[in-house]
Amino acid sequence: MSKQVPIVEGLFTWPAEQPALLGSRCNNCGVAAFPVAQSCMACSGQDVSVEELPGRGTLWTWTVQRFMPKPPYHSNETPETFQPYGVGYLELPGGVRVEGRLTENDPEKIRIGMEMDVVFDTWRTEDNGDEIITFFFRPVSEPAQEG
Amino acid sequence: MDVAIVGIGIHPFGRTPSRTGLQQGAYAARLALQDAGVEWKDMQFAFGGSASAGNADALGNELGLTGIPFINVANGCATGGSSLMAAYAAIKSGEHDIGLVAGFDKHDRGAFNADPAALGIGQWYGEVGLMMTTQFFAMKIQKYMHDYGISADTLAKVAEKAFSNGALNPNAWRREPVSAEQVADSMMLNDPLTKFMFCSPAEGGVALVLCRADKAKNYCDSPVYLKSAVLRSRRFGSFEVFAPSQALQQVDGPTVDASKAAFEMAGVGPGDIDVAQLQDTESGAEVMHMAENGFCEHGEQEQLIQSGATHIGGSMPINTDGGCLANGEPIGASGLRQVYENVLQLRGQAGDHQVPGDPRLGYTHVYGAPGISAVTILQR
């Protein structure tokens, strides 16, 4: 029976009603890191706590990857079916700037400073039917226009 | 003890199917030894690097096995700069009088595919398509254009200049001029960077003979002195390649740190430099590195590049041999190519790409993953 499997354990909470990216915060200097680290890159401290990172942030910078990367890239795509994908750093308030894939790949629809949500979705399907789950950044949808 | 460069050699960059990377390194080493009027057996030590073409100390199999300490250096795109810094320290300390620095490489076509594990990053990062140097450079210049008003046309003009300089350099790979319009209209690879704005992995070799400054005239009529050779790694908070996250608080990157230290060591400032070779793995890198190395304020590049100041005849000549864009990037050799070019410039031997006005001070800068920079300042 197929199941949903996170791309790696400990990157985000899964399964969870509201999945969240997991970061670590240094108990000495207060600096956060993603993914969870055993020690602090800022102060060399080794006393860190794991916490859930905010689920919404602002786009700090971005690009669109228009050619298919070589391995270790591992998707279900072939060179024929490859679709360009957006990549960006999302600034999570009080946390860190996390790098991730965007759900949007149209440069006309991506701009620095826009709000995005951290969402979790299937990245690829394995031969045994398992769905590999990872995180993406999705533009916060504009409020519906009235009339 | 000051340090001088008394011999230089290069194997043309690009694609040479008939020679291995190691053979290209040996070719460059023989030319450097010949240039200094010395033999391989006169060398007391060697530092060398290659990322994809075997261990540099295999050069001994080509040049002869003489028993000297030969240390392999591996420091990403800053491998050449790191070898040079190590050789500089070996002579400056008084440990050795004369030695060789060599770098060579031979890479497959297409973008590099780095291994996340080698950099302490989880495999997932590569699997979902984030382990790409090209993305980093694109995202860094995207942010920079947003913050400092650099135009896409300026990015195209950087590449146009590189190819026009490459056309003047017999050792360059790309020797055909490409117009800014052609650069801008080439395939978009990582917005805002097009195909002709990126350098490609390539092949080539460079070697240098270094010696104590007080013995330099024994080997060379026109020695060039290494006034500084500095390597710095990233501090916490700088925006670097292969970073799954970054700190909210930004600090200056390793280029700024290495540059400041190099100017201080040499006792000169950016305004004194007559010719500069700055890491241009893509057009945006050259733009940002102009400011990070202290040659202008952030944002001034737009006017400087549009006005031609960075051309060979301009007030601030940059990448006079065509840079990485026209030479490609054989990792082990790339940083040493910059030094080779500056020695040619300071000797007045750069031919069609010679900077006018008898340049006296030359500056080189490389940047490598995952956040290191090496800078040299040369004086004739």
Side-chain angles (χ1 to χ4, degrees):
Chain A
M1 207 179 105
S2 70
K3 54 185 186 294
Q4 292 191 321
V5 182
I7 192 162
V8 63
E9 288 292 335
L11 201 62
F12 45 86
T13 53
W14 193 273
E17 202 154 301
Q18 280 222 310
L21 294 175
L22 288 171
S24 53
R25 190 174 295 277
C26 177
N27 291 324
N28 179 44
C29 73
V31 162
F34 173 85
V36 170
Q38 302 299 311
S39 57
C40 176
M41 276 194 281
C43 77
S44 311
Q46 291 180 279
D47 179 16
V48 300
S49 303
V50 175
E51 66 181 37
E52 293 189 1
L53 295 172
R56 179 172 288 188
T58 53
L59 189 66
W60 189 73
T61 187
W62 61 277
T63 186
V64 175
Q65 176 67 36
R66 294 183 185 244
F67 61 96
M68 188 167 163
K70 297 175 186 173
Y73 189 65
H74 186 189
S75 67
N76 289 134
E77 298 160 306
T78 65
E80 290 72 37
T81 64
F82 172 77
Q83 289 295 316
Y85 55 92
V87 174
Y89 278 92
L90 193 66
E91 182 164 324
L92 301 175
V96 290
R97 296 190 186 109
V98 174
E99 186 182 13
R101 285 176 70 115
L102 312 181
T103 57
E104 181 60 69
N105 70 358
D106 178 355
E108 298 302 318
K109 295 180 180 165
I110 308 171
R111 60 177 201 285
I112 287 173
M114 72 191 295
E115 278 203 301
M116 290 193 162
D117 286 325
V118 182
V119 296
F120 300 84
D121 205 346
T122 302
W123 161 239
R124 66 170 188 264
T125 306
E126 301 285 58
D127 290 342
N128 65 5
D130 284 0
E131 292 176 24
I132 305 298
I133 307 295
T134 192
F135 65 93
F136 300 82
F137 304 145
R138 186 180 64 198
V140 172
S141 38
E142 305 287 337
Q145 297 291 315
E146 286 189 25
Chain B
M1 180 57 61
D2 280 345
V3 178
I5 298 173
V6 292
I8 58 173
I10 192 167
H11 183 282
F13 279 38
R15 298 269 176 224
T16 310
S18 62
R19 288 197 184 101
T20 65
L22 184 68
Q23 287 167 340
Q24 295 179 40
Y27 179 102
R30 291 191 183 102
L31 286 180
L33 293 165
Q34 191 185 339
D35 185 42
V38 294
E39 295 185 47
W40 173 237
K41 65 178 167 52
D42 299 322
M43 295 300 99
Q44 298 171 358
F45 71 94
F47 287 92
S50 146
S52 305
N55 291 340
D57 75 344
L59 277 176
N61 296 345
E62 296 278 335
L63 302 173
L65 300 170
T66 60
I68 58 167
F70 194 131
I71 296 179
N72 293 310
V73 177
N75 229 353
C77 301
T79 293
S82 302
S83 302
L84 188 61
M85 194 206 67
Y88 173 78
I91 292 174
K92 197 174 181 184
S93 69
E95 183 71 18
H96 294 296
D97 294 340
I98 188 165
L100 184 91
V101 173
F104 55 87
D105 244 314
K106 193 176 181 91
H107 301 295
D108 293 337
R109 285 163 204 277
F112 291 116
N113 54 334
D115 175 19
L119 290 143
I121 301 171
Q123 200 65 24
W124 65 272
Y125 187 74
E127 287 182 14
V128 301
L130 300 179
M131 195 76 194
M132 298 292 295
T133 52
T134 58
Q135 288 170 9
F136 163 73
F137 291 120
M139 286 194 285
K140 189 175 173 192
I141 189 64
Q142 182 92 269
K143 174 77 175 157
Y144 198 87
M145 291 165 83
H146 173 267
D147 289 353
Y148 297 109
I150 304 296
S151 67
D153 181 58
T154 286
L155 299 183
K157 287 215 159 52
V158 169
E160 178 186 58
K161 168 185 66 83
F163 294 123
S164 83
N165 290 354
L168 303 174
N169 173 9
N171 293 312
W173 180 17
R174 315 276 189 201
R175 303 214 55 213
E176 295 291 326
V178 180
S179 72
E181 291 72 27
Q182 287 173 292
V183 172
D185 290 345
S186 65
M187 193 194 309
M188 184 67 80
L189 295 185
N190 287 95
D191 306 57
L193 299 170
T194 66
K195 182 178 179 181
F196 288 159
M197 294 180 188
F198 279 106
C199 86
S200 301
E203 305 172 20
V206 179
L208 309 169
V209 176
L210 275 67
C211 81
R212 292 166 54 128
D214 59 351
K215 297 195 173 171
K217 295 270 183 185
N218 297 351
Y219 304 108
C220 182
D221 294 332
S222 52
V224 166
Y225 299 95
L226 198 48
K227 302 306 287 183
S228 51
V230 173
L231 175 72
R232 288 288 184 271
S233 65
R234 64 204 185 282
R235 286 185 286 135
F236 180 73
S238 65
F239 178 30
E240 305 299 340
V241 64
F242 300 147
S245 73
Q246 327 161 39
L248 295 184
Q249 204 77 32
Q250 291 275 295
V251 303
D252 286 334
T255 293
V256 174
D257 294 348
S259 176
K260 281 181 180 163
F263 279 123
E264 191 178 323
M265 188 184 287
V268 299
D272 300 318
I273 299 295
D274 300 307
V275 55
Q277 318 298 332
L278 308 179
Q279 183 87 338
D280 61 330
T281 33
E282 40 76 33
S283 289
E286 180 170 316
V287 172
M288 296 182 286
H289 289 150
M290 286 170 65
E292 291 183 12
N293 284 288
F295 293 106
C296 64
E297 295 298 323
H298 292 298
E300 281 182 359
Q301 299 97 323
E302 181 70 16
Q303 188 273 328
L304 286 166
I305 290 166
Q306 290 289 344
S307 71
T310 58
H311 285 229
I312 286 172
S315 59
M316 191 188 288
I318 292 174
N319 293 331
T320 47
D321 66 351
C324 290
L325 289 172
N327 286 279
E329 192 188 21
I331 286 181
S334 198
L336 299 179
R337 169 187 54 75
Q338 299 177 327
V339 175
Y340 178 92
E341 169 66 6
N342 273 359
V343 172
L344 281 187
Q345 291 286 347
L346 301 186
R347 286 179 178 177
Q349 295 174 346
D352 290 342
H353 53 113
Q354 178 67 46
V355 165
D358 295 327
R360 192 179 77 91
L361 278 167
Y363 183 99
T364 70
H365 158 263
V366 287
Y367 170 84
I372 49 177
S373 283
V375 168
T376 73
I377 296 175
L378 271 56
Q379 183 188 310
R380 68 169 158 81

